[in-house]
mmCIF file of all heavy atoms in Angstrom:
data_model
loop_
_atom_site.group_PDB
_atom_site.id
_atom_site.type_symbol
_atom_site.label_atom_id
_atom_site.label_comp_id
_atom_site.label_asym_id
_atom_site.label_seq_id
_atom_site.Cartn_x
_atom_site.Cartn_y
_atom_site.Cartn_z
ATOM 1 N N SER X 1 90.552 111.313 73.637
ATOM 2 C CA SER X 1 90.952 110.033 74.210
ATOM 3 C C SER X 1 90.320 108.865 73.455
ATOM 4 O O SER X 1 90.781 107.728 73.581
ATOM 5 C CB SER X 1 90.497 109.938 75.670
ATOM 6 O OG SER X 1 91.041 110.945 76.466
ATOM 7 N N LEU X 2 89.266 109.151 72.691
ATOM 8 C CA LEU X 2 88.429 108.096 72.129
ATOM 9 C C LEU X 2 88.514 107.980 70.613
ATOM 10 O O LEU X 2 88.075 106.974 70.056
ATOM 11 C CB LEU X 2 86.961 108.369 72.503
ATOM 12 C CG LEU X 2 86.689 108.640 73.990
ATOM 13 C CD1 LEU X 2 85.240 109.062 74.185
ATOM 14 C CD2 LEU X 2 87.018 107.431 74.828
ATOM 15 N N ARG X 3 89.050 108.990 69.952
ATOM 16 C CA ARG X 3 89.051 109.021 68.493
ATOM 17 C C ARG X 3 90.409 109.501 67.980
ATOM 18 O O ARG X 3 91.254 109.939 68.745
ATOM 19 C CB ARG X 3 87.955 109.965 67.973
ATOM 20 C CG ARG X 3 86.542 109.565 68.366
ATOM 21 C CD ARG X 3 86.077 108.314 67.632
ATOM 22 N NE ARG X 3 84.686 108.014 67.932
ATOM 23 C CZ ARG X 3 84.286 107.220 68.926
ATOM 24 N NH1 ARG X 3 85.186 106.671 69.733
ATOM 25 N NH2 ARG X 3 83.000 106.979 69.117
ATOM 26 N N GLY X 4 90.596 109.433 66.665
ATOM 27 C CA GLY X 4 91.844 109.864 66.056
ATOM 28 C C GLY X 4 91.695 111.174 65.315
ATOM 29 O O GLY X 4 90.595 111.617 64.997
ATOM 30 N N SER X 5 92.835 111.804 65.040
ATOM 31 C CA SER X 5 92.865 113.063 64.299
ATOM 32 C C SER X 5 94.237 113.210 63.666
ATOM 33 O O SER X 5 95.224 112.672 64.182
ATOM 34 C CB SER X 5 92.595 114.240 65.239
ATOM 35 O OG SER X 5 92.793 115.468 64.574
ATOM 36 N N ALA X 6 94.293 113.947 62.565
ATOM 37 C CA ALA X 6 95.570 114.149 61.879
ATOM 38 C C ALA X 6 96.366 115.307 62.456
ATOM 39 O O ALA X 6 97.490 115.557 62.028
ATOM 40 C CB ALA X 6 95.329 114.393 60.382
ATOM 41 N N ASP X 7 95.778 116.022 63.409
ATOM 42 C CA ASP X 7 96.505 117.115 64.044
ATOM 43 C C ASP X 7 96.415 116.945 65.568
ATOM 44 O O ASP X 7 95.891 115.947 66.061
ATOM 45 C CB ASP X 7 95.963 118.475 63.602
ATOM 46 C CG ASP X 7 94.483 118.670 63.930
ATOM 47 O OD1 ASP X 7 93.884 117.765 64.556
ATOM 48 O OD2 ASP X 7 93.922 119.710 63.560
ATOM 49 N N LEU X 8 96.963 117.899 66.307
ATOM 50 C CA LEU X 8 96.997 117.797 67.767
ATOM 51 C C LEU X 8 97.530 116.441 68.220
ATOM 52 O O LEU X 8 96.998 115.807 69.139
ATOM 53 C CB LEU X 8 95.600 118.032 68.357
ATOM 54 C CG LEU X 8 95.113 119.482 68.412
ATOM 55 C CD1 LEU X 8 93.643 119.521 68.813
ATOM 56 C CD2 LEU X 8 95.948 120.311 69.381
ATOM 57 N N ILE X 9 98.602 115.995 67.562
ATOM 58 C CA ILE X 9 99.121 114.643 67.785
ATOM 59 C C ILE X 9 99.541 114.430 69.240
ATOM 60 O O ILE X 9 99.206 113.414 69.852
ATOM 61 C CB ILE X 9 100.315 114.365 66.849
ATOM 62 C CG1 ILE X 9 99.882 114.500 65.374
ATOM 63 C CG2 ILE X 9 100.895 112.983 67.116
ATOM 64 C CD1 ILE X 9 98.782 113.578 64.951
ATOM 65 N N ALA X 10 100.294 115.377 69.788
ATOM 66 C CA ALA X 10 100.765 115.212 71.163
ATOM 67 C C ALA X 10 99.593 115.209 72.137
ATOM 68 O O ALA X 10 99.539 114.373 73.060
ATOM 69 C CB ALA X 10 101.753 116.320 71.515
ATOM 70 N N TYR X 11 98.649 116.097 71.953
ATOM 71 C CA TYR X 11 97.471 116.162 72.832
ATOM 72 C C TYR X 11 96.677 114.866 72.751
ATOM 73 O O TYR X 11 96.285 114.289 73.781
ATOM 74 C CB TYR X 11 96.604 117.344 72.421
ATOM 75 C CG TYR X 11 95.353 117.499 73.261
ATOM 76 C CD1 TYR X 11 95.407 118.095 74.524
ATOM 77 C CD2 TYR X 11 94.118 117.058 72.789
ATOM 78 C CE1 TYR X 11 94.264 118.235 75.296
ATOM 79 C CE2 TYR X 11 92.967 117.196 73.556
ATOM 80 C CZ TYR X 11 93.059 117.783 74.814
ATOM 81 O OH TYR X 11 91.930 117.914 75.575
ATOM 82 N N GLN X 12 96.417 114.416 71.535
ATOM 83 C CA GLN X 12 95.651 113.195 71.332
ATOM 84 C C GLN X 12 96.330 112.006 72.016
ATOM 85 O O GLN X 12 95.686 111.211 72.713
ATOM 86 C CB GLN X 12 95.509 112.938 69.832
ATOM 87 C CG GLN X 12 94.759 111.695 69.473
ATOM 88 C CD GLN X 12 94.735 111.506 67.969
ATOM 89 O OE1 GLN X 12 94.153 110.564 67.492
ATOM 90 N NE2 GLN X 12 95.369 112.373 67.206
ATOM 91 N N THR X 13 97.654 111.895 71.835
ATOM 92 C CA THR X 13 98.400 110.804 72.462
ATOM 93 C C THR X 13 98.317 110.887 73.975
ATOM 94 O O THR X 13 98.111 109.878 74.667
ATOM 95 C CB THR X 13 99.873 110.865 72.013
ATOM 96 O OG1 THR X 13 99.937 110.794 70.583
ATOM 97 C CG2 THR X 13 100.678 109.726 72.620
ATOM 98 N N SER X 14 98.459 112.097 74.506
ATOM 99 C CA SER X 14 98.424 112.262 75.962
ATOM 100 C C SER X 14 97.070 111.881 76.535
ATOM 101 O O SER X 14 96.985 111.278 77.613
ATOM 102 C CB SER X 14 98.765 113.714 76.330
ATOM 103 O OG SER X 14 97.713 114.612 76.012
ATOM 104 N N LYS X 15 96.001 112.213 75.836
ATOM 105 C CA LYS X 15 94.674 111.915 76.363
ATOM 106 C C LYS X 15 94.326 110.428 76.239
ATOM 107 O O LYS X 15 93.534 109.904 77.038
ATOM 108 C CB LYS X 15 93.620 112.790 75.681
ATOM 109 C CG LYS X 15 93.716 114.263 76.086
ATOM 110 C CD LYS X 15 93.571 114.447 77.602
ATOM 111 C CE LYS X 15 93.581 115.897 78.017
ATOM 112 N NZ LYS X 15 93.391 116.077 79.482
ATOM 113 N N HIS X 16 94.893 109.744 75.258
ATOM 114 C CA HIS X 16 94.777 108.286 75.246
ATOM 115 C C HIS X 16 95.517 107.700 76.453
ATOM 116 O O HIS X 16 95.038 106.753 77.087
ATOM 117 C CB HIS X 16 95.358 107.715 73.945
ATOM 118 C CG HIS X 16 94.394 107.713 72.799
ATOM 119 N ND1 HIS X 16 93.945 108.854 72.179
ATOM 120 C CD2 HIS X 16 93.790 106.688 72.156
ATOM 121 C CE1 HIS X 16 93.116 108.536 71.196
ATOM 122 N NE2 HIS X 16 92.993 107.217 71.169
ATOM 123 N N ALA X 17 96.675 108.257 76.770
ATOM 124 C CA ALA X 17 97.454 107.765 77.903
ATOM 125 C C ALA X 17 96.722 107.966 79.225
ATOM 126 O O ALA X 17 96.844 107.142 80.148
ATOM 127 C CB ALA X 17 98.811 108.463 77.950
ATOM 128 N N VAL X 18 95.950 109.050 79.331
ATOM 129 C CA VAL X 18 95.181 109.293 80.558
ATOM 130 C C VAL X 18 94.238 108.125 80.840
ATOM 131 O O VAL X 18 94.045 107.730 82.000
ATOM 132 C CB VAL X 18 94.400 110.618 80.452
ATOM 133 C CG1 VAL X 18 93.347 110.731 81.552
ATOM 134 C CG2 VAL X 18 95.365 111.802 80.531
ATOM 135 N N LEU X 19 93.683 107.525 79.797
ATOM 136 C CA LEU X 19 92.783 106.388 80.005
ATOM 137 C C LEU X 19 93.542 105.162 80.511
ATOM 138 O O LEU X 19 92.985 104.354 81.267
ATOM 139 C CB LEU X 19 92.032 106.050 78.726
ATOM 140 C CG LEU X 19 91.105 107.129 78.175
ATOM 141 C CD1 LEU X 19 90.198 106.554 77.102
ATOM 142 C CD2 LEU X 19 90.272 107.765 79.277
ATOM 143 N N GLY X 20 94.798 105.005 80.106
ATOM 144 C CA GLY X 20 95.605 103.925 80.659
ATOM 145 C C GLY X 20 95.829 104.106 82.145
ATOM 146 O O GLY X 20 95.718 103.152 82.935
ATOM 147 N N LEU X 21 96.136 105.336 82.544
ATOM 148 C CA LEU X 21 96.297 105.632 83.967
ATOM 149 C C LEU X 21 94.975 105.443 84.714
ATOM 150 O O LEU X 21 94.953 104.919 85.839
ATOM 151 C CB LEU X 21 96.805 107.059 84.147
ATOM 152 C CG LEU X 21 98.257 107.301 83.754
ATOM 153 C CD1 LEU X 21 98.552 108.801 83.680
ATOM 154 C CD2 LEU X 21 99.204 106.632 84.744
ATOM 155 N N LEU X 22 93.876 105.870 84.108
ATOM 156 C CA LEU X 22 92.563 105.703 84.719
ATOM 157 C C LEU X 22 92.288 104.243 85.048
ATOM 158 O O LEU X 22 91.904 103.900 86.176
ATOM 159 C CB LEU X 22 91.485 106.227 83.764
ATOM 160 C CG LEU X 22 90.051 105.779 84.059
ATOM 161 C CD1 LEU X 22 89.526 106.447 85.306
ATOM 162 C CD2 LEU X 22 89.147 106.045 82.870
ATOM 163 N N ARG X 23 92.479 103.379 84.077
ATOM 164 C CA ARG X 23 92.105 101.976 84.270
ATOM 165 C C ARG X 23 93.020 101.277 85.260
ATOM 166 O O ARG X 23 92.565 100.473 86.081
ATOM 167 C CB ARG X 23 92.080 101.284 82.913
ATOM 168 C CG ARG X 23 90.872 101.758 82.104
ATOM 169 C CD ARG X 23 90.965 101.517 80.634
ATOM 170 N NE ARG X 23 89.762 102.054 79.976
ATOM 171 C CZ ARG X 23 89.725 102.505 78.732
ATOM 172 N NH1 ARG X 23 90.825 102.497 78.000
ATOM 173 N NH2 ARG X 23 88.608 102.970 78.213
ATOM 174 N N GLY X 24 94.310 101.595 85.207
ATOM 175 C CA GLY X 24 95.225 101.027 86.189
ATOM 176 C C GLY X 24 94.897 101.495 87.600
ATOM 177 O O GLY X 24 94.901 100.706 88.550
ATOM 178 N N ALA X 25 94.593 102.790 87.747
ATOM 179 C CA ALA X 25 94.291 103.342 89.062
ATOM 180 C C ALA X 25 92.974 102.799 89.603
ATOM 181 O O ALA X 25 92.844 102.532 90.805
ATOM 182 C CB ALA X 25 94.227 104.866 88.991
ATOM 183 N N ALA X 26 91.972 102.617 88.719
ATOM 184 C CA ALA X 26 90.685 102.084 89.162
ATOM 185 C C ALA X 26 90.839 100.639 89.620
ATOM 186 O O ALA X 26 90.234 100.216 90.620
ATOM 187 C CB ALA X 26 89.658 102.183 88.042
ATOM 188 N N MET X 27 91.651 99.862 88.910
ATOM 189 C CA MET X 27 91.892 98.479 89.308
ATOM 190 C C MET X 27 92.613 98.412 90.646
ATOM 191 O O MET X 27 92.274 97.609 91.516
ATOM 192 C CB MET X 27 92.707 97.760 88.231
ATOM 193 C CG MET X 27 91.937 97.477 86.960
ATOM 194 S SD MET X 27 90.591 96.280 87.172
ATOM 195 C CE MET X 27 91.526 94.803 87.559
ATOM 196 N N TYR X 28 93.607 99.267 90.813
ATOM 197 C CA TYR X 28 94.365 99.280 92.061
ATOM 198 C C TYR X 28 93.519 99.803 93.220
ATOM 199 O O TYR X 28 93.551 99.268 94.335
ATOM 200 C CB TYR X 28 95.623 100.140 91.908
ATOM 201 C CG TYR X 28 96.472 100.169 93.156
ATOM 202 C CD1 TYR X 28 97.385 99.155 93.417
ATOM 203 C CD2 TYR X 28 96.350 101.194 94.085
ATOM 204 C CE1 TYR X 28 98.149 99.158 94.580
ATOM 205 C CE2 TYR X 28 97.110 101.215 95.242
ATOM 206 C CZ TYR X 28 98.014 100.192 95.485
ATOM 207 O OH TYR X 28 98.757 100.203 96.632
ATOM 208 N N GLY X 29 92.763 100.839 92.955
ATOM 209 C CA GLY X 29 92.032 101.496 94.023
ATOM 210 C C GLY X 29 90.756 100.812 94.439
ATOM 211 O O GLY X 29 90.312 100.962 95.588
ATOM 212 N N GLY X 30 90.142 100.052 93.548
ATOM 213 C CA GLY X 30 88.863 99.435 93.848
ATOM 214 C C GLY X 30 88.830 98.638 95.145
ATOM 215 O O GLY X 30 87.966 98.872 96.008
ATOM 216 N N PRO X 31 89.747 97.688 95.328
ATOM 217 C CA PRO X 31 89.729 96.900 96.569
ATOM 218 C C PRO X 31 89.989 97.732 97.821
ATOM 219 O O PRO X 31 89.691 97.292 98.927
ATOM 220 C CB PRO X 31 90.863 95.884 96.343
ATOM 221 C CG PRO X 31 90.992 95.774 94.861
ATOM 222 C CD PRO X 31 90.720 97.159 94.359
ATOM 223 N N LEU X 32 90.542 98.933 97.631
ATOM 224 C CA LEU X 32 90.824 99.813 98.762
ATOM 225 C C LEU X 32 89.662 100.764 99.056
ATOM 226 O O LEU X 32 89.723 101.557 99.995
ATOM 227 C CB LEU X 32 92.085 100.638 98.479
ATOM 228 C CG LEU X 32 93.363 99.843 98.204
ATOM 229 C CD1 LEU X 32 94.487 100.787 97.776
ATOM 230 C CD2 LEU X 32 93.767 99.030 99.420
ATOM 231 N N GLY X 33 88.633 100.711 98.222
ATOM 232 C CA GLY X 33 87.509 101.622 98.393
ATOM 233 C C GLY X 33 87.729 102.981 97.776
ATOM 234 O O GLY X 33 87.018 103.936 98.106
ATOM 235 N N ILE X 34 88.693 103.072 96.867
ATOM 236 C CA ILE X 34 89.006 104.337 96.193
ATOM 237 C C ILE X 34 88.512 104.255 94.752
ATOM 238 O O ILE X 34 88.944 103.383 93.991
ATOM 239 C CB ILE X 34 90.517 104.625 96.214
ATOM 240 C CG1 ILE X 34 91.016 104.716 97.657
ATOM 241 C CG2 ILE X 34 90.840 105.905 95.436
ATOM 242 C CD1 ILE X 34 92.529 104.675 97.785
ATOM 243 N N ARG X 35 87.610 105.145 94.386
ATOM 244 C CA ARG X 35 87.073 105.154 93.034
ATOM 245 C C ARG X 35 87.818 106.163 92.162
ATOM 246 O O ARG X 35 88.148 107.260 92.628
ATOM 247 C CB ARG X 35 85.582 105.501 93.043
ATOM 248 C CG ARG X 35 84.720 104.491 93.773
ATOM 249 C CD ARG X 35 83.237 104.760 93.587
ATOM 250 N NE ARG X 35 82.818 106.048 94.133
ATOM 251 C CZ ARG X 35 82.568 107.128 93.407
ATOM 252 N NH1 ARG X 35 82.716 107.118 92.094
ATOM 253 N NH2 ARG X 35 82.179 108.262 93.985
ATOM 254 N N VAL X 36 88.060 105.789 90.911
ATOM 255 C CA VAL X 36 88.713 106.678 89.952
ATOM 256 C C VAL X 36 87.920 106.638 88.653
ATOM 257 O O VAL X 36 87.735 105.565 88.065
ATOM 258 C CB VAL X 36 90.172 106.256 89.679
ATOM 259 C CG1 VAL X 36 90.863 107.284 88.779
ATOM 260 C CG2 VAL X 36 90.945 106.075 90.984
ATOM 261 N N ASN X 37 87.435 107.794 88.227
ATOM 262 C CA ASN X 37 86.679 107.901 86.982
ATOM 263 C C ASN X 37 87.198 109.085 86.166
ATOM 264 O O ASN X 37 88.013 109.870 86.650
ATOM 265 C CB ASN X 37 85.186 108.083 87.279
ATOM 266 C CG ASN X 37 84.561 106.841 87.869
ATOM 267 O OD1 ASN X 37 84.361 105.848 87.180
ATOM 268 N ND2 ASN X 37 84.249 106.886 89.167
ATOM 269 N N ALA X 38 86.718 109.197 84.948
ATOM 270 C CA ALA X 38 87.160 110.293 84.086
ATOM 271 C C ALA X 38 85.985 110.902 83.351
ATOM 272 O O ALA X 38 85.013 110.215 83.011
ATOM 273 C CB ALA X 38 88.194 109.798 83.078
ATOM 274 N N VAL X 39 86.090 112.181 83.101
ATOM 275 C CA VAL X 39 85.150 112.881 82.241
ATOM 276 C C VAL X 39 85.854 113.162 80.924
ATOM 277 O O VAL X 39 87.038 113.505 80.898
ATOM 278 C CB VAL X 39 84.658 114.187 82.903
ATOM 279 C CG1 VAL X 39 85.805 115.157 83.162
ATOM 280 C CG2 VAL X 39 83.590 114.856 82.056
ATOM 281 N N ALA X 40 85.133 112.955 79.822
ATOM 282 C CA ALA X 40 85.706 113.181 78.490
ATOM 283 C C ALA X 40 84.943 114.307 77.807
ATOM 284 O O ALA X 40 83.933 114.064 77.129
ATOM 285 C CB ALA X 40 85.651 111.911 77.651
ATOM 286 N N PRO X 41 85.391 115.554 78.007
ATOM 287 C CA PRO X 41 84.693 116.680 77.369
ATOM 288 C C PRO X 41 84.825 116.646 75.853
ATOM 289 O O PRO X 41 85.836 116.193 75.306
ATOM 290 C CB PRO X 41 85.414 117.911 77.949
ATOM 291 C CG PRO X 41 86.122 117.412 79.171
ATOM 292 C CD PRO X 41 86.490 116.002 78.860
ATOM 293 N N GLY X 42 83.795 117.145 75.212
ATOM 294 C CA GLY X 42 83.872 117.354 73.777
ATOM 295 C C GLY X 42 84.380 118.758 73.509
ATOM 296 O O GLY X 42 85.372 119.183 74.096
ATOM 297 N N ILE X 43 83.707 119.481 72.650
ATOM 298 C CA ILE X 43 84.158 120.821 72.287
ATOM 299 C C ILE X 43 83.637 121.820 73.313
ATOM 300 O O ILE X 43 82.434 122.104 73.383
ATOM 301 C CB ILE X 43 83.688 121.187 70.873
ATOM 302 C CG1 ILE X 43 84.363 120.251 69.853
ATOM 303 C CG2 ILE X 43 84.004 122.632 70.556
ATOM 304 C CD1 ILE X 43 83.948 120.493 68.424
ATOM 305 N N VAL X 44 84.557 122.327 74.122
ATOM 306 C CA VAL X 44 84.227 123.301 75.154
ATOM 307 C C VAL X 44 85.220 124.463 75.027
ATOM 308 O O VAL X 44 86.338 124.386 75.536
ATOM 309 C CB VAL X 44 84.300 122.696 76.565
ATOM 310 C CG1 VAL X 44 83.886 123.724 77.607
ATOM 311 C CG2 VAL X 44 83.429 121.453 76.664
ATOM 312 N N PRO X 45 84.881 125.526 74.327
ATOM 313 C CA PRO X 45 85.813 126.650 74.145
ATOM 314 C C PRO X 45 86.110 127.341 75.470
ATOM 315 O O PRO X 45 85.196 127.752 76.185
ATOM 316 C CB PRO X 45 85.058 127.587 73.192
ATOM 317 C CG PRO X 45 83.994 126.747 72.568
ATOM 318 C CD PRO X 45 83.622 125.730 73.606
ATOM 319 N N THR X 46 87.371 127.455 75.797
ATOM 320 C CA THR X 46 87.804 128.183 76.993
ATOM 321 C C THR X 46 88.980 129.072 76.620
ATOM 322 O O THR X 46 89.488 129.018 75.496
ATOM 323 C CB THR X 46 88.240 127.228 78.121
ATOM 324 O OG1 THR X 46 89.458 126.569 77.732
ATOM 325 C CG2 THR X 46 87.170 126.181 78.416
#
């Protein structure tokens, strides 16, 4: 979500988009008492 890469283009784009949803949801939810945050994992083999 935070950096660029020459591969995994669709994944990279999708994870940048998640941050757009995060910020919009946090702005909307804040006055309602609803918190929205995100975790950004690095390399975690699963």
Side-chain angles (χ1 to χ4, degrees):
S1 300
L2 309 173
R3 299 289 185 269
S5 172
D7 59 3
L8 283 171
I9 301 301
Y11 180 80
Q12 179 183 181
T13 303
S14 72
K15 290 302 183 178
H16 275 69
V18 166
L19 298 193
L21 288 167
L22 163 71
R23 288 161 182 151
M27 289 293 294
Y28 181 84
L32 301 173
I34 300 167
R35 297 188 297 103
V36 186
N37 291 288
V39 62
I43 295 178
V44 183
T46 69

